[in-house]
């Protein structure tokens, strides 16, 4: 039982604060023999890293990952893999004035209440910086999943502006800093973000992640359900407030006939005529695409003053001046991809453990 | 690592199939000294049990719980509590014809693919009957939480008909078989369900559960987040396809100013001016109400024929004739309440373990 | 994290008190497709059960196991297996007078101090009756291990009388009620036990268990070591006070040259010239026999009066009149075998999960 | 379920190889508010570190610990504590010739069989160097246990030479490099070690660790027994082959009357008249000293040639020329102390979690 460990057979334990010397994780349970180098992990960190466009925090972190153990001659050995990312651009002075005040919507108040005090610098342990570690672990998980399984995420809504789904292109996602799948939608979102940033405000966002190529049979009944683990994984991402699989909340409005994913015989096994279940039936993967959407609330750290309290319980106004993303969801796609990769790698090993 | 265990310090391990002799669970980690009798657990099972109205499955189960261990002179001893519920009205012949065919939207296909075969009688392990066990465990969890914490759930939407929120009454929830909080909405839903049942169809539903009185400080950062555990818990309920906390998916459309739950000094600690975060900040309870909504898909077992395959991979038509709920969500409120109670009891002990 | 669960991938959760209605366990993680019936489990319970000779407790328990779930058409389904054994010969009146007094060497005092009170009837949860559950779980574990792996245990010392190792016969072990491997030693031990019982005293014992046929490669480095798990398993048996593997404590007196198990090339893989390591090298099975010895203290419940305290802290004399084994080690061989089987089944699955 | 994690509520995950850039661990679950600095941990590492006398390996490691997270203003925050120790004196060339050959009694063969290959440099993950991490974690555990609990270990036998127990002095243990409690025994052991080293041989050893001040009530019945966890902890130390608690294997020869630790009323709670149970009754601490002995086999890496195989299965002679301890037990006392501290800190939190 660990608060900072994710997964069971493929599992990683995360550590580090926003303004400490480094962050990192230890991956335990990785099978032996997989190719693994720092160069394999780095591109995923680069995709998440801050400072890449005007739409995200201007903190400049190289986010260079170092492999400290568990790899020999570029192959995983089966021993724990220790990954370390140094913090190089932490500016603690930015946070001096919020050492005592609670930022509304942030974990400041609850951390203090739970632990009696907190490392307030940059949010300490509650910083979204921790998500770099998830992305690094996800890169290792992808090695275990192999080339047959691809995992891709995109931003599908900012504020009240959904993406133009009829203009969807996975290639476009890679071309822009917003993980936007539509060249048509992109300029609208950029304008919206510019306007929001200038207003000292922030926006919520919706992320969709799809895993393609997952074989039928991963997951488990009852509490070890694949979708239950996915839901927990996504909701553990900072600022996440909702998760849905397949038709998700939309399934409430469907009839049983509409919702049933009918099956026909294909040349290469069953063919489903729809995918309202999002690739999971009874907690077990069906072989269809696994489709997950996660809702992110707007960034809590905003320039617009908000009413709050300080540690003494006195009423104060809080304005957060540090370097923050106007929309945390913008950088969430690589994180959500990574979490899905970790859940799948874990269930691959769990399935193999029980069913051979 | 267990597929059939829920929780960490307060944890229960569930067992049993729909048409076996019994179902049950073992609760481990319960603190000593709490009052516990079968009479304390039974009302929660009665609230969930089938056959209570024309709107739910007509299977008649007494659902009498027996305490086999862990209680001495009506007090928990700290030893594992074994709970057993006999199956008395299992009719295996109803399922003979679907022994080989896969019901679309059900776990038949994925179970067979994972395990090589399955106990098809009544859905075997994948049956919603397993949820009786969750309700029993939830009743024990409530004893640990004590009277200061109340947990209540209601049905807030069936199909495309949301409840009239301006007519909300928790008392009304207890008065009707649909867990409907509005006397105004109730007859509309009853008509909708009658019509759906007659059409051999089924409907999705939305459940809302609220925990009141949870103190600030339960939960943990990062992966042991209270909301992450709640999300996993809710998504593990059969037919659940989405979970949201507080403003949930609605938070996508909010600005940072709107979403920030501002704080003022109250006579008895902090007062929040809104609760978009649904009682959880940074994975830790804030002292506000914890508000969770879970989306349930329509029942997969319907009378209307659907295209599918059998075990040999041949194309067949499937009509499910057994006794099924036209809307699984109708009986889901007591289950969702129970899961929330179990998560909270677990985190109460986890918090005490780490923070004293 | 569970106090009453043993194992990781193959795991069982035990419940029940000596004088409750029943005891049992839930086995989770069992792979699907293994043959399993009550008749397969029963012989192992019969080997452990009380009342079979004058040398053990005269409590008469049929110890009939019932399978309540997880098996369909005599095959494990992959779902949790619930096993139940009724208590039929519990005589609570025997224990009335020790409800308040602490039996020296027993868990009475520590249970009361930990939990505030206890189910004193027959030792409640601390009763050796719980070990029946281990034996049942061990029988399931053996099915997973298959016929290639055999696990056998014997009593090798009672008090100061070791078995005549030059007269060792595994067949003899099955022929007598003391699990004694030597027909020559047997009458001596019987005389010793008769004399001890008449004196109202009790004796310690040493058990040796050997697993033959375990392949090279099970186990793990560092904390998941096969021998570490075996040591924990054996020490969890009531009255166990010491565990050793291979040369064990004798290895202290060996030189590095003597202790090194040299290797030569055999026709069918490596051949070791000795087995001081008892089949485990660096926490991983070597393919040699796994050899474990466990030391049991004399039964704490004796007729001879001992000085002690009662719950009020007053000084009392305690004589335990219930039906007790004069030497708990006599019935410990089937239990130690079962625990070894469970550790091995767990590591078989763990190895498969990580290494394929 | 993790092979490289130790503990449940107080838990640490270890990583690193003998000849990698560093070793370390992540401690999760540490309560907030405890004083912690590198200076508090360092003395325990210094006590274990190599190169301090002619009797141990001449590898020179500073073993400087760095705290990378989880501590703010010298206090633990409740967040994971990442500890890192750089490897500075790794000489991989020493091991070139054993890259292919299996050292008898070492993990070379089993690692290769399990994982397909291994990091052979200095034993890779199987190196005793990993134990530095345990010592660091143990230092943190001691902070949680507080000053009321003291944990001390000593070497009590080398080869066939036991310590003179009538000359026991805990102060003497701190004065010599062998953790020998007797000034009388010390020169004999030094002579024995000199002779052994010159002969290119090695010796086994026996370690005794005592925890004083542990309150009654820590631990749990059945599988979460305090002594079961201690046994697993000790057996996980490299080269350990046996563990015993209290009278241990000696209890086999005791009668029930002798073994019963009788109780009398003291001014400050119960007083025990003996401690054959070594401070644990029914898996729960009794308030008496916890006494544990662990047997270590002689170092497997010796200069004297031994027969073995190489990776191709060919017969070879192996002589290990690296820098090795002639008696691994000599440096084992700080490690065994640390493991006992970790088990106790874990059970302190586990007890608090369940029983408040």
């Amino acid at each position: 039982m660990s608060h900072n460990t994710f997964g069971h057979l493929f599992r990683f334990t995360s550590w580090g604060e926003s303004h400490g010397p480094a962050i990192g994780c230890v991956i335990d349970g990785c099978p032996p023999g997989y190719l693994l180098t720092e160069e394999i992990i780095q591109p995923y960190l680069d995709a998440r890293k801050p400072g890449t466009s005007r739409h995200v925090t201007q903190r400049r972190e190289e986010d260079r990952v170092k492999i400290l153990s568990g790899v020999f001659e570029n192959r995983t050995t089966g021993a724990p893999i220790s990954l370390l990312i140094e913090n190089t651009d932490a500016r603690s002075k930015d946070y001096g004035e919020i050492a005592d005040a609670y930022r509304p919507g942030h974990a400041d108040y609850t951390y203090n209440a739970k632990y009696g005090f907190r490392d307030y610098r940059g949010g300490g342990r509650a910083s979204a910086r921790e998500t770099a570690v998830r992305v690094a672990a996800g890169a290792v998980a992808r090695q275990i999943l192999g080339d047959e399984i691809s995992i891709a995420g995109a931003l599908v809504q900012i504020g009240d502006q959904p993406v133009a789904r009829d203009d969807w292109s996975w290639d476009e996602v890679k071309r822009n800093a917003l993980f936007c799948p539509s060249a048509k939608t992109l300029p609208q979102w950029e304008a919206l973000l510019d306007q929001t940033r200038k207003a000292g405000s922030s926006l919520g966002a919706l992320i969709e992640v799809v895993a393609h190529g997952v074989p039928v049979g991963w997951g488990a009944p009852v509490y070890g359900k694949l979708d239950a683990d996915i839901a927990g994984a996504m909701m553990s991402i900072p600022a996440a407030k909702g998760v849905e699989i397949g038709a998700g909340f939309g399934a409430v409005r469907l009839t049983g006939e509409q919702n049933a994913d009918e099956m026909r015989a294909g040349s290469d096994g069953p063919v489903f005529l729809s995918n309202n279940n999002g690739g999971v039936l009874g907690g077990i993967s069906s072989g269809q695409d696994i489709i997950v959407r996660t809702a992110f609330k707007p960034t809590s750290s905003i320039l617009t003053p908000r009413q709050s309290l300080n540690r003494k319980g006195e009423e104060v106004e809080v304005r957060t001046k540090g370097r923050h993303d106007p929309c945390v969801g913008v950088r969430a796609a690589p994180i959500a991809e990574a979490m899905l990769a970790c859940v799948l790698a874990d269930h691959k090993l769990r399935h193999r453990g029980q069913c051979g």
Side-chain angles (χ1 to χ4, degrees), chain A:
Chain A
M1 212 249 16
S2 171
H3 300 314
N4 293 281
T5 294
F6 186 84
H8 298 265
L9 294 198
F10 176 83
R11 52 163 37 206
F12 63 99
T13 301
S14 155
W15 58 268
E17 284 85 31
S18 176
H19 288 217
I23 57 174
C25 70
V26 182
I27 299 169
D28 198 10
C30 184
Y34 284 105
L35 188 66
L36 191 68
T37 64
E38 292 168 357
E39 291 68 35
I40 286 172
I41 302 173
Q42 196 60 46
Y44 296 98
L45 285 166
D46 292 346
R48 190 214 71 102
K49 88 174 168 191
T52 52
S53 82
R54 69 181 186 279
H55 305 299
V56 297
T57 172
Q58 295 306 300
R59 179 168 172 173
R60 301 276 167 183
E61 288 289 353
E62 278 304 304
D63 277 1
R64 301 301 306 177
V65 67
K66 286 182 199 167
I67 300 175
L68 297 182
S69 69
V71 174
F72 184 58
E73 297 175 347
N74 295 340
R75 294 274 163 191
T76 60
T77 62
I81 299 167
S82 179
L83 302 178
L84 185 139
I85 301 166
E86 287 180 24
N87 291 328
T88 56
D89 189 27
R91 296 192 203 155
S92 295
K93 63 181 159 50
D94 286 353
Y95 296 91
E97 66 191 46
I98 59 149
D100 282 324
Y102 301 137
R103 289 166 294 169
H106 215 290
D108 300 339
Y109 166 60
T110 53
Y111 264 61
N112 254 30
K114 184 178 185 75
Y115 299 118
F117 73 117
R118 72 186 198 279
D119 178 353
Y120 53 79
R121 300 166 305 159
R125 183 65 181 149
S127 167
R129 180 140 186 73
E130 188 274 338
T131 59
V133 159
R134 303 173 185 236
V135 171
V140 179
R142 284 174 196 261
Q143 293 300 96
I144 295 174
L145 295 173
D147 291 340
E148 292 76 30
I149 296 177
S150 62
I151 299 171
L155 193 55
V156 297
Q157 186 167 334
I158 298 186
D160 57 4
Q161 299 189 5
V163 74
R165 284 202 177 250
D166 54 2
D167 187 47
W168 188 289
S169 157
W170 282 112
D171 286 340
E172 179 59 31
V173 172
K174 293 176 196 155
R175 276 196 293 267
N176 65 73
L178 301 187
F179 300 91
C180 173
S182 157
K184 209 162 67 183
T185 304
L186 181 62
Q188 300 164 22
W189 285 0
E190 290 180 320
L192 180 61
L193 284 170
D194 284 340
Q195 172 195 331
T196 302
R197 194 176 61 251
K198 281 168 197 161
S201 182
S202 62
L203 285 168
L206 192 62
I207 294 287
E208 183 169 307
V209 183
V210 179
H212 180 74
V214 177
V216 61
W218 292 3
V222 190
Y223 309 123
K225 282 190 163 89
L226 186 59
D227 38 357
D229 282 358
I230 291 171
M234 295 302 162
M235 201 66 107
S236 79
I237 301 175
K241 298 307 289 184
V243 187
E244 61 180 10
I245 313 270
F249 279 82
V252 172
R253 295 165 181 277
L254 299 179
T255 63
E257 300 90 291
Q258 292 166 330
N259 188 63
D261 296 325
E262 294 185 294
M263 299 171 78
R264 295 284 81 186
S267 54
D268 192 33
V271 172
F272 289 88
L273 305 186
S274 56
N275 189 11
N276 287 305
N277 282 294
V280 187
L281 284 168
I284 299 172
S285 62
S286 68
Q288 289 193 282
D289 282 357
I290 294 175
I291 301 172
V292 190
R293 274 177 303 280
T294 308
F296 292 90
K297 67 177 183 182
T299 316
S300 299
S301 303
I302 51 177
L303 270 167
T304 306
R306 294 283 92 187
Q307 302 182 83
S308 190
L309 302 176
N310 64 18
R311 294 194 59 175
K312 295 179 196 149
E314 299 160 342
E315 302 195 340
V316 293
E317 271 210 342
V318 173
R319 269 184 85 210
T320 311
K321 278 183 276 181
R323 300 159 295 175
H324 297 285
D325 298 86
C327 174
V328 285
V330 165
R331 291 199 289 140
I335 304 162
E337 287 178 8
M339 293 311 287
L340 186 53
C342 290
V343 171
L344 290 172
D346 189 26
H347 273 284
K348 176 178 178 174
L349 303 189
R350 287 161 75 172
H351 178 66
R352 187 162 77 182
Q354 186 177 17
C355 296

